[in-house]
């Protein structure tokens, strides 16, 4: 039997082959400007709105998810070029979401957003597939530089 997911919080399993086939057809999601698409994942709607606005001004198309589970579902339906993921969320936290994302075969860059600069957790998250970290609340000039560096193709 094919392993669907190792996360016990997933109510409806995600199938790796279904995710891969939907991710390969990017043509339906291309924008007129062909801008890179980023996903903002976090349960603070005000912060997500501010991030969406800033990222849009910096040349990104932006989609939002309220938690890790919703982000996994969206990533299976719509290809994204990178993610900004809040570490602390309900339903599925950022660390679990990153692990599930990699297990499902998604290889886009992921930047983790956190209130704390935990020097013990950061190296572990890098080993688990994160490309970098953003302290919350973000300083927008440094966030812009981090996004350009972290999401450069």
């Amino acid at each position: 039997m094919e392993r669907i997911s190792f996360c016990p919080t997933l109510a409806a399993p995600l199938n790796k082959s279904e995710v891969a086939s939907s991710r390969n057809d990017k043509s339906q999601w291309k924008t007129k400007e062909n801008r890179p698409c980023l996903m903002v994942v976090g349960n603070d709607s005000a912060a997500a709105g501010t991030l969406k606005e800033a990222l849009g001004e910096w040349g990104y198309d932006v989609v939002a998810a309220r938690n890790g589970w919703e982000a996994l579902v969206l990533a299976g339906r719509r290809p994204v070029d990178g993610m900004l993921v809040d570490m602390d969320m309900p339903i599925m936290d950022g660390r679990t979401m990153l692990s599930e994302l990699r297990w499902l075969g998604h290889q886009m860059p992921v930047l983790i957003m956190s209130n704390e600069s935990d020097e013990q957790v950061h190296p572990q998250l890098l080993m688990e597939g994160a490309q970098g970290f953003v302290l919350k609340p973000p300083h927008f000039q440094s966030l812009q530089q981090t996004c350009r560096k972290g999401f450069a193709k």
Side-chain angles (χ1 to χ4, degrees):
M1 179 176 190
E2 180 180 0
R3 183 174 173 188
I4 303 298
S5 176
F6 61 81
C7 179
T9 61
L10 294 178
L14 296 174
N15 185 302
K16 284 176 89 170
S17 58
E18 290 173 6
V19 169
S21 65
S22 67
R23 191 174 55 240
N24 291 335
D25 182 19
K26 293 186 176 188
S27 60
Q28 65 177 330
W29 302 106
K30 293 287 184 186
T31 62
K32 294 176 197 167
E33 302 87 18
N34 206 22
R35 298 168 9 148
C37 180
L38 299 182
M39 186 182 299
V40 174
V41 186
N43 62 318
D44 183 340
S45 60
T50 302
L51 282 172
K52 281 179 73 169
E53 185 177 325
L55 291 165
E57 289 177 15
W58 300 335
Y60 299 101
D61 280 333
V62 183
V63 294
R66 294 170 294 198
N67 57 61
W69 167 247
E70 188 175 291
L72 290 173
V73 170
L74 286 173
R77 294 182 182 157
R78 176 185 181 149
V80 294
D81 299 301
M83 292 186 174
L84 283 164
V85 178
D86 194 345
M87 187 69 161
D88 300 312
M89 297 179 287
I91 301 175
M92 183 185 294
D93 66 17
R95 184 179 215 152
T96 304
M97 194 219 97
L98 176 63
S99 180
E100 286 287 319
L101 190 71
R102 297 306 188 223
W103 185 84
L104 288 167
H106 296 283
Q107 295 303 314
M108 78 282 287
V110 175
L111 298 176
I112 301 292
M113 299 182 292
S114 177
N115 290 326
E116 301 176 22
S117 63
D118 189 338
E119 294 168 5
Q120 293 178 340
V121 172
H122 289 187
Q124 183 64 32
L125 286 169
L126 289 172
M127 288 179 16
E128 293 172 12
Q131 277 63 50
F133 305 94
V134 176
L135 284 177
K136 295 185 331 184
H139 179 268
F140 283 98
Q141 186 175 7
S142 64
L143 176 62
Q144 185 178 22
Q145 292 171 351
T146 301
C147 287
R148 285 199 174 131
K149 180 180 175 185
F151 301 129
K153 287 192 174 188

